[in-house]
Amino acid sequence: MKHLIVVHGRDIKPAGSELASLSKRAIVRGLQRAGRADIAQGVASGAVRFSSAYYGDINNRIEASYSAKTAALLTAQNDAGYAFRPCFPAAELEAAYAMTDALRSFNLAAYRHVLDIADDWRLLDEAADAASLFGSLLTFGLLNTLVVETVKSDLTAYLTSQRVGSEIRARLQQVLEPALAAGDDICLVTHSLGCMVAYDVFWKYSFRSEYAHMRDAGRKVNLWLTIGCPLGEVGVQRNLLDGVVLDDEKYPRDQFLDWVNVHAEDDYIAHAESMRSAFSTMRSKKYCRSITDKKIYNCWYYRDAAKGRLVSNPHDLYGYLMNQDTAKYIAQWAA
């Protein structure tokens, strides 16, 4: 069975069911924009199975603990079963979705139009925080807590806390392992922090003894599609699970067939754009079949609830998924 699995990224999130619904709708719209109404219908109807690996409640818990201002944004309630229930209200995302979806196509002209009417996200504090974090990651290790004190975020917690990292990886494994065991034809779409989570899970499956049964089965993800991916950052690479291992134990092996990395213009998290270059060893040693990079324009924008201004966010998950160029890769896999 064709099985599309989406893994979200960092920062506060809506309820798990809301995120899954919005992600699925965005993919359907992207496929429609790409002229693949047939594949869009398959995703919408369930002929192509859709799953979301959700750890947004963990994000919300971490971010709320660091910032009272952030905690105040969590005015909705998550689905039953999540221990930390406060979450971001989906209504605000729906409004941004509607504005962005009104754009006919996502190209340079559309992106310039968004920048004409909305504040440029590159000038906001988030971009500076990301630069500070990636710079700090170049010099810190698990025993160095300086970056934790200076850049407090869920992304930092993932890299520095064994407990948090394991908790987040488990959410992906709960979805991915049964799909692999069932022999599903999998397209794994990962965004931002989710790319790091998937990479670490792939590496665990490649080397740790408790996953020998999975290696013996020889099953793999057919398409790994990364969007807004920070894995090109050297500081991030040094703090992944294989960051400190010997060279002959580096990199996931035979866990996915093809890796396509989609990066948006001005995406402050994905500005180290080329996965093909950063992970060339994986290609040369045939740990996967191919690695491809594709530049797009992420035209997502929203109205800031506090100040009422329009803001562009070229890193946004749903903006990536709604884009016709992202969708073309999903369509090629699903055809």
Side-chain angles (χ1 to χ4, degrees):
M1 177 180 226
K2 297 283 185 180
H3 193 164
L4 182 59
I5 301 173
V6 171
V7 189
H8 64 80
R10 64 166 301 268
D11 212 348
I12 54 176
K13 292 291 176 276
S17 58
E18 297 281 4
L19 185 146
S21 175
L22 199 55
S23 298
K24 185 175 180 178
R25 285 163 48 202
I27 289 171
V28 168
R29 289 295 290 129
L31 288 164
Q32 291 170 344
R33 281 190 178 84
R36 296 307 304 264
D38 55 336
I39 307 297
Q41 177 58 29
V43 174
S45 68
V48 175
R49 186 177 178 186
F50 177 87
S51 297
S52 170
Y54 177 79
Y55 53 90
D57 57 312
I58 304 174
N59 291 18
N60 293 339
R61 182 188 75 211
I62 294 169
E63 294 292 329
S65 72
Y66 286 152
S67 167
K69 182 178 178 181
T70 299
L73 298 175
L74 305 180
T75 58
Q77 287 291 297
N78 213 325
D79 306 320
Y82 294 116
F84 188 84
R85 297 292 300 283
C87 66
F88 191 73
E92 294 188 29
L93 294 171
E94 291 285 359
Y97 182 99
M99 285 196 304
T100 307
D101 193 35
L103 300 170
R104 296 180 62 182
S105 183
F106 297 110
N107 52 27
L108 177 57
Y111 184 56
R112 285 176 172 169
H113 167 71
V114 168
L115 293 182
D116 283 342
I117 62 175
D119 288 348
D120 189 343
W121 188 261
R122 291 171 297 174
L123 302 179
L124 299 183
D125 290 342
E126 184 76 13
D129 286 347
S132 175
L133 171 60
F134 291 144
S136 298
L137 287 174
L138 284 168
T139 57
F140 96 109
L142 291 178
L143 298 180
N144 185 337
T145 60
L146 176 61
V147 73
V148 182
E149 295 304 318
T150 57
V151 187
K152 296 180 177 180
S153 73
D154 47 7
L155 189 150
T156 310
Y158 176 80
L159 290 171
T160 60
S161 167
Q162 291 294 318
R163 178 183 61 80
V164 171
S166 180
E167 188 179 9
I168 290 176
R169 287 188 291 273
R171 299 293 181 86
L172 172 55
Q173 291 175 230
Q174 289 164 7
V175 177
L176 183 57
E177 288 179 25
L180 288 168
D184 290 351
D185 179 350
I186 300 169
C187 171
L188 180 67
V189 182
T190 62
H191 178 244
S192 191
L193 172 57
C195 303
M196 297 156 60
V197 175
Y199 183 95
D200 281 343
V201 167
F202 285 145
W203 184 83
K204 286 172 59 180
Y205 289 170
S206 299
F207 288 99
R208 291 193 171 166
S209 59
E210 59 265 36
Y211 301 107
H213 64 287
M214 298 183 65
R215 293 192 290 276
D216 291 343
R219 290 169 178 157
K220 63 185 71 175
V221 168
N222 280 332
L223 174 61
W224 183 23
L225 179 59
T226 55
I227 53 180
C229 177
L231 288 171
E233 295 283 351
V234 174
V236 169
Q237 295 170 25
R238 290 181 180 177
N239 291 280
L240 296 167
L241 290 183
D242 69 346
V244 295
V245 302
L246 299 174
D247 285 347
D248 63 355
E249 294 181 354
K250 256 185 116 58
Y251 306 115
R253 302 182 185 189
D254 302 315
Q255 297 301 313
F256 54 86
L257 194 61
D258 297 307
W259 179 358
V260 173
N261 176 59
V262 175
H263 57 91
E265 177 81 2
D266 298 330
D267 184 339
Y268 53 92
I269 293 292
H271 67 86
E273 299 167 349
S274 178
M275 299 305 116
R276 182 176 173 84
S277 297
F279 295 91
S280 59
T281 299
M282 294 188 67
R283 291 186 296 111
S284 63
K285 292 186 176 293
K286 302 188 184 304
Y287 297 158
C288 63
R289 184 169 65 183
S290 68
I291 304 176
T292 304
D293 296 295
K294 171 68 176 178
K295 177 182 173 180
I296 68 162
Y297 296 95
N298 186 338
C299 297
W300 181 268
Y301 69 112
Y302 65 96
R303 188 171 299 279
D304 183 272
K307 299 182 180 179
R309 69 178 189 265
L310 294 175
V311 180
S312 165
N313 182 3
H315 181 63
D316 186 81
L317 166 65
Y318 312 110
Y320 267 106
L321 297 179
M322 298 165 78
N323 186 287
Q324 69 280 344
D325 294 318
T326 305
K328 286 176 183 177
Y329 292 106
I330 297 175
Q332 289 169 7
W333 158 79

